[in-house]
Short mmCIF file of all heavy atoms in Angstrom, two decimals:
data_model
loop_
_atom_site.label_atom_id
_atom_site.label_comp_id
_atom_site.label_asym_id
_atom_site.label_seq_id
_atom_site.Cartn_x
_atom_site.Cartn_y
_atom_site.Cartn_z
N SER R 131 10.25 1.55 -10.45
CA SER R 131 11.18 0.39 -10.81
C SER R 131 10.98 -0.72 -9.79
O SER R 131 10.27 -0.51 -8.70
CB SER R 131 12.68 0.95 -10.74
OG SER R 131 12.84 1.35 -9.30
N LEU R 132 11.28 -1.83 -10.22
CA LEU R 132 11.33 -3.10 -9.35
C LEU R 132 12.74 -3.59 -9.39
O LEU R 132 13.32 -3.97 -10.40
CB LEU R 132 10.39 -4.15 -9.88
CG LEU R 132 10.58 -5.49 -9.32
CD1 LEU R 132 10.53 -5.61 -7.82
CD2 LEU R 132 9.49 -6.47 -9.92
N ASN R 133 13.41 -3.54 -8.15
CA ASN R 133 14.75 -3.85 -7.95
C ASN R 133 15.66 -3.30 -9.03
O ASN R 133 16.53 -3.88 -9.65
CB ASN R 133 14.89 -5.48 -8.11
CG ASN R 133 14.36 -6.13 -6.90
OD1 ASN R 133 14.09 -5.46 -5.76
ND2 ASN R 133 14.16 -7.47 -6.96
N GLY R 134 15.38 -1.99 -9.26
CA GLY R 134 16.24 -1.17 -10.20
C GLY R 134 15.81 -1.16 -11.59
O GLY R 134 16.35 -0.34 -12.35
N LYS R 135 14.96 -2.10 -12.05
CA LYS R 135 14.52 -2.10 -13.37
C LYS R 135 13.30 -1.33 -13.60
O LYS R 135 12.20 -1.64 -12.83
CB LYS R 135 14.43 -3.53 -13.82
CG LYS R 135 15.70 -4.33 -13.86
CD LYS R 135 15.59 -5.49 -14.65
CE LYS R 135 17.02 -6.21 -14.69
NZ LYS R 135 16.90 -7.47 -13.84
N PRO R 136 13.09 -0.53 -14.65
CA PRO R 136 11.83 0.16 -14.86
C PRO R 136 10.56 -0.71 -15.04
O PRO R 136 10.72 -1.79 -15.63
CB PRO R 136 12.11 0.91 -16.23
CG PRO R 136 13.62 0.88 -16.40
CD PRO R 136 14.14 -0.25 -15.67
N ILE R 137 9.45 -0.28 -14.49
CA ILE R 137 8.28 -1.12 -14.61
C ILE R 137 7.19 -0.27 -15.20
O ILE R 137 7.24 0.91 -15.20
CB ILE R 137 7.75 -1.55 -13.34
CG1 ILE R 137 7.70 -0.56 -12.11
CG2 ILE R 137 8.61 -2.78 -12.74
CD1 ILE R 137 7.09 -1.01 -10.82
N ARG R 138 6.14 -0.96 -15.85
CA ARG R 138 5.05 -0.22 -16.52
C ARG R 138 3.78 -1.12 -16.11
O ARG R 138 3.87 -2.32 -15.94
CB ARG R 138 5.14 -0.39 -18.04
CG ARG R 138 6.13 0.54 -18.70
CD ARG R 138 5.82 1.93 -18.68
NE ARG R 138 4.52 2.23 -19.41
CZ ARG R 138 3.94 3.47 -19.34
NH1 ARG R 138 4.49 4.36 -18.56
NH2 ARG R 138 2.80 3.67 -19.87
N VAL R 139 2.63 -0.46 -16.09
CA VAL R 139 1.40 -1.15 -15.89
C VAL R 139 1.18 -2.01 -17.13
O VAL R 139 1.84 -1.86 -18.26
CB VAL R 139 0.27 -0.15 -15.83
CG1 VAL R 139 0.33 0.62 -14.50
CG2 VAL R 139 0.16 0.86 -16.99
N SER R 140 0.14 -2.96 -17.01
CA SER R 140 -0.12 -3.90 -18.09
C SER R 140 -0.76 -3.18 -19.31
O SER R 140 -1.21 -2.03 -19.21
CB SER R 140 -1.09 -5.06 -17.66
OG SER R 140 -2.40 -4.47 -17.54
N ASN R 141 -0.90 -3.86 -20.49
CA ASN R 141 -1.69 -3.32 -21.51
C ASN R 141 -2.92 -4.07 -21.82
O ASN R 141 -3.41 -4.03 -23.04
CB ASN R 141 -0.77 -3.21 -22.79
CG ASN R 141 -0.07 -4.50 -23.16
OD1 ASN R 141 -0.66 -5.63 -22.63
ND2 ASN R 141 0.99 -4.59 -23.92
N CYS R 142 -3.47 -4.63 -20.83
CA CYS R 142 -4.77 -5.33 -20.90
C CYS R 142 -5.84 -4.35 -21.15
O CYS R 142 -6.05 -3.37 -20.53
CB CYS R 142 -4.99 -6.20 -19.63
SG CYS R 142 -6.49 -7.05 -19.65
N GLU R 143 -6.70 -4.70 -22.30
CA GLU R 143 -7.70 -3.70 -22.63
C GLU R 143 -9.15 -4.15 -22.32
O GLU R 143 -10.03 -3.25 -22.22
CB GLU R 143 -7.65 -3.48 -24.19
CG GLU R 143 -6.48 -2.71 -24.66
CD GLU R 143 -6.54 -2.46 -26.15
OE1 GLU R 143 -7.56 -2.83 -26.84
OE2 GLU R 143 -5.56 -1.94 -26.64
N ASN R 144 -9.38 -5.41 -22.01
CA ASN R 144 -10.59 -5.83 -21.74
C ASN R 144 -10.78 -6.53 -20.36
O ASN R 144 -10.00 -7.40 -19.94
CB ASN R 144 -11.13 -6.95 -22.75
CG ASN R 144 -11.12 -6.40 -24.16
OD1 ASN R 144 -11.71 -5.45 -24.39
ND2 ASN R 144 -10.43 -7.05 -25.06
N LEU R 145 -11.70 -6.01 -19.59
CA LEU R 145 -11.93 -6.51 -18.23
C LEU R 145 -12.01 -8.10 -18.27
O LEU R 145 -11.60 -8.74 -17.25
CB LEU R 145 -13.20 -5.92 -17.56
CG LEU R 145 -13.27 -6.04 -16.16
CD1 LEU R 145 -12.02 -5.56 -15.35
CD2 LEU R 145 -14.53 -5.18 -15.62
N GLY R 146 -12.60 -8.63 -19.20
CA GLY R 146 -12.74 -10.08 -19.36
C GLY R 146 -11.38 -10.77 -19.40
O GLY R 146 -11.32 -11.94 -19.04
N ASP R 147 -10.32 -10.10 -19.77
CA ASP R 147 -8.95 -10.72 -19.84
C ASP R 147 -8.05 -10.24 -18.64
O ASP R 147 -6.95 -10.66 -18.62
CB ASP R 147 -8.22 -10.23 -21.11
CG ASP R 147 -9.01 -10.71 -22.33
OD1 ASP R 147 -9.61 -11.72 -22.31
OD2 ASP R 147 -8.99 -9.85 -23.35
N ALA R 148 -8.79 -9.61 -17.75
CA ALA R 148 -7.95 -8.94 -16.62
C ALA R 148 -7.95 -9.72 -15.35
O ALA R 148 -8.81 -10.44 -14.95
CB ALA R 148 -8.55 -7.56 -16.35
#
Side-chain angles (χ1 to χ4, degrees):
S131 63
L132 164 53
N133 289 346
K135 297 201 179 105
I137 51 173
R138 289 285 303 167
V139 291
S140 75
N141 53 18
C142 177
E143 288 182 4
N144 298 309
L145 196 50
D147 301 324

